[in-house]
Amino acid sequence: MKNSGDLKLAHEDSISILQAVEVDRIIALPDEILCHILSFLIPLCSVRSTVLSKRWNKLWTCCITNLDFDIKDFSSSYESNYHIFVRFVDQVLAFRDSSLDITRFRVAWEDCEDFSIIDRWIQVAVNANVVDLDVSSYVYPFELPSCVYTCKSLVSLKVKSDYLTFYSLPKTGSCFPNLKFLHYISGYDFDCASGANLFRSCPILEELTIEAHHKKRVLNFDISAPELRTLTTIMKKMNKREHYEEDEFEEDYEEDYRIDPCNFFIDAPKLENLCVKGEVMSKYNWKNTSSLVQARVQLQVFNEASACCLQPEEQNT
């Protein structure tokens, strides 16, 4: 009769054999299926697959169409993070099959100090007919490259930045010719003038989401979108630590922090769905609400001031 030690070794050997069989089955799959599997992975994981077999050394280069780069995936000191991240993204873009279109391109590098690097990557994505572009960076100043505004393949755009401006938007000609989905996140500030230029430069925009922090000054959002169907606004209050230094008094915060509602001026004759979320209620000034079908309000704090904002404004004819 075998003792417990022999049974344990036999069990471990069985597991090792099964694992080897599973690996062999994967490696035996045709390139088309392997490429399909790799296409669902982020580039960092796809590149790491090269350790499985020599056959995989260049396999990832033929299947990457969803490019997701986040500096948080590179765990080390900041200085080495910076160089490793830049070198990795550059090499992926250089070695991937340039004949393949890029379906989705995301880069999250919030503490970037040189936006020209991200600018270079975005231009590669635009040249590869990117459909979904997602950029997150707090570098100052932050201006999207002009090629994004005229990209004919771009359908969805998500931008997160504290210092984003749109003053380089072309004043003549068509901008965002096929953009249908826009998600704009402003951490602590919003340039109302350039933002208005953005919202009115999307001729077929169907869905718009705006996230912003409410500071001391009142924000005005001027939205003019003839094809807009869905509008979501998420307004948050800046917390005390963000608004004041830690050694300042809480009562100063309460006295000085303004909770005046922000203003939305909306010209969207086809708007059907409105969703209002967050901690600060805003005032909505409509040019035409005849097409509105559904409106949802999800506030974390609801008070009399918020209720007043829900009263219908006098509509312009």
Side-chain angles (χ1 to χ4, degrees):
M1 183 175 180
K2 295 184 178 180
N3 58 37
S4 59
D6 293 336
L7 291 174
K8 181 178 180 181
L9 289 174
H11 178 67
E12 291 177 351
D13 289 341
S14 299
I15 293 177
S16 299
I17 293 173
L18 288 174
Q19 290 175 340
V21 170
E22 291 299 326
V23 172
D24 289 341
R25 286 179 178 177
I26 294 176
I27 293 177
L29 293 173
D31 287 354
E32 293 77 10
I33 296 179
L34 292 177
C35 286
H36 183 68
I37 294 173
L38 290 176
S39 67
F40 291 97
L41 303 178
I42 63 174
L44 185 60
C45 294
S46 295
V47 174
R48 284 175 175 172
S49 68
T50 58
V51 302
L52 298 176
S53 169
K54 290 183 179 180
R55 175 190 170 200
W56 292 54
N57 283 344
K58 294 185 179 181
L59 194 61
W60 66 270
T61 64
C62 304
C63 58
I64 287 187
T65 58
N66 296 311
L67 300 177
D68 191 326
F69 302 107
D70 192 330
I71 197 170
K72 294 179 181 178
D73 294 332
F74 296 77
S75 57
S76 59
S77 64
Y78 172 79
E79 184 176 356
S80 58
N81 252 6
Y82 181 96
H83 297 291
I84 292 174
F85 183 65
V86 172
R87 184 167 63 252
F88 177 79
V89 178
D90 281 339
Q91 290 181 344
V92 168
L93 295 179
F95 287 113
R96 67 176 295 274
D97 187 348
S98 59
S99 66
L100 295 175
D101 289 344
I102 294 178
T103 304
R104 183 174 187 268
F105 184 87
R106 173 180 177 266
V107 55
W109 189 6
E110 296 182 353
D111 53 358
C112 174
E113 297 177 358
D114 184 1
F115 188 73
S116 65
I117 299 174
I118 300 180
D119 185 294
R120 182 178 73 243
W121 297 339
I122 293 176
Q123 292 189 44
V124 172
V126 170
N127 292 337
N129 302 313
V130 64
V131 175
D132 183 351
L133 179 62
D134 185 340
V135 182
S136 177
S137 177
Y138 292 146
V139 65
Y140 180 84
F142 181 12
E143 179 76 37
L144 288 172
S146 57
C147 61
V148 174
Y149 303 136
T150 56
C151 181
K152 295 181 180 180
S153 61
L154 189 62
V155 175
S156 176
L157 174 63
K158 182 177 181 179
V159 183
K160 180 180 181 181
S161 174
D162 286 346
Y163 312 105
L164 182 63
T165 60
F166 300 94
Y167 288 110
S168 65
L169 274 167
K171 296 181 179 179
T172 59
S174 176
C175 298
F176 298 115
N178 291 300
L179 188 68
K180 294 184 178 181
F181 307 95
L182 175 61
H183 190 158
Y184 176 54
I185 306 173
S186 176
Y188 302 111
D189 204 354
F190 177 77
D191 191 316
C192 298
S194 65
N197 292 336
L198 170 67
F199 300 141
R200 68 169 60 99
S201 299
C202 308
I204 65 169
L205 186 66
E206 296 181 2
E207 185 172 323
L208 172 62
T209 300
I210 299 175
E211 295 185 48
H213 277 76
H214 186 268
K215 295 182 68 174
K216 291 173 62 178
R217 67 187 182 91
V218 175
L219 300 178
N220 295 311
F221 297 89
D222 191 352
I223 302 170
S224 179
E227 299 296 325
L228 189 65
R229 261 70 170 182
T230 300
L231 173 62
T232 301
T233 64
I234 306 173
M235 305 301 296
K236 300 178 180 179
K237 291 192 296 184
M238 184 184 298
N239 63 45
K240 299 174 185 179
R241 288 189 177 182
E242 293 170 330
H243 189 68
Y244 283 102
E245 297 296 333
E246 292 184 359
D247 59 349
E248 296 196 41
F249 296 102
E250 181 175 346
E251 54 266 24
D252 293 335
Y253 167 86
E254 297 295 343
E255 180 179 354
D256 191 45
Y257 190 93
R258 291 170 56 179
I259 58 172
D260 295 339
C262 298
N263 299 307
F264 283 84
F265 301 91
I266 304 171
D267 182 5
K270 297 183 180 180
L271 186 67
E272 298 176 352
N273 303 292
L274 172 66
C275 183
V276 178
K277 300 180 180 180
E279 304 164 320
V280 180
M281 189 64 190
S282 300
K283 289 185 176 179
Y284 292 82
N285 304 277
W286 307 88
K287 186 173 183 180
N288 190 332
T289 58
S290 59
S291 61
L292 192 62
V293 175
Q294 176 179 267
R296 293 179 296 165
V297 179
Q298 302 173 5
L299 295 180
Q300 295 181 4
V301 179
F302 191 86
N303 50 36
E304 293 183 2
S306 298
C308 293
C309 296
L310 290 175
Q311 299 297 323
E313 298 286 340
E314 181 178 352
Q315 297 182 16
N316 298 324
T317 58

